[in-house]
Amino acid sequence: MSGRTKGAHQLPTKDCAVCGRTITWRKKWERDWDGVKYCSDACRRRAKSSSGLDADLETTLRRLLAERGRSKTVCPSEVARAVGGEDWRDLMEPARSAARRLVAAGQAEITQGGRVVDPSTAKGPIRVRLV
């Protein structure tokens, strides 16, 4: 089996290719664990329809983080506004997904109240900063 393990007795995990949430190994995936890329059907559909938008969100997030510097943070709403203009609210979850993908790539971390949190389980307002 491939993928990360969080401990000697815990199941392997990997990150969703679309949203960056953690996918935990399941028995039904035993034969095809290497082929599992998405955490849900919604992410599978989204992968086919919005790859250009996802790239724009990631690029914008990286640019905003670079402009601010290492110790400063960016809110996903700033990224959504920069990419979406008037219709930015529809881009909030995709912007959060872009942040989770950067965390999975080791380029950023997500914080709440100044503390680093697990991007897969973070609920509510988040901030993103460079590692």
Side-chain angles (χ1 to χ4, degrees):
M1 276 185 240
S2 68
R4 298 183 312 274
T5 57
K6 294 184 178 179
H9 295 96
Q10 293 186 350
L11 299 172
T13 62
K14 61 171 82 173
D15 298 313
C16 176
V18 172
C19 71
R21 287 190 175 99
T22 301
I23 305 168
T24 304
W25 183 87
R26 295 180 190 169
K27 177 73 174 164
K28 70 180 185 176
W29 292 332
E30 186 171 26
R31 288 188 226 159
D32 193 30
W33 176 239
D34 291 334
V36 175
K37 297 179 187 176
Y38 310 110
C39 66
S40 66
D41 289 336
C43 281
R44 184 177 292 104
R45 284 189 301 271
R46 197 157 162 262
K48 294 176 183 173
S49 65
S50 65
S51 60
L53 173 63
D54 290 341
D56 290 346
L57 290 166
E58 283 185 41
T59 300
T60 302
L61 178 55
R62 281 190 189 100
R63 179 180 52 79
L64 290 172
L65 287 168
E67 289 172 1
R68 300 257 167 99
R70 273 224 190 263
S71 62
K72 303 295 183 183
T73 62
V74 172
C75 180
S77 66
E78 295 174 70
V79 177
R81 284 183 177 105
V83 172
E86 297 272 326
D87 300 324
W88 67 272
R89 283 185 173 80
D90 292 338
L91 296 180
M92 277 302 296
E93 185 52 37
R96 289 173 66 104
S97 295
R100 285 191 297 268
R101 286 191 300 275
L102 290 184
V103 169
Q107 299 173 359
E109 55 192 11
I110 291 178
T111 64
Q112 285 183 319
R115 288 177 291 190
V116 177
V117 296
D118 180 1
S120 293
T121 58
K123 304 266 190 242
I126 62 170
R127 303 285 297 181
V128 184
R129 69 179 176 205
L130 292 173
V131 175

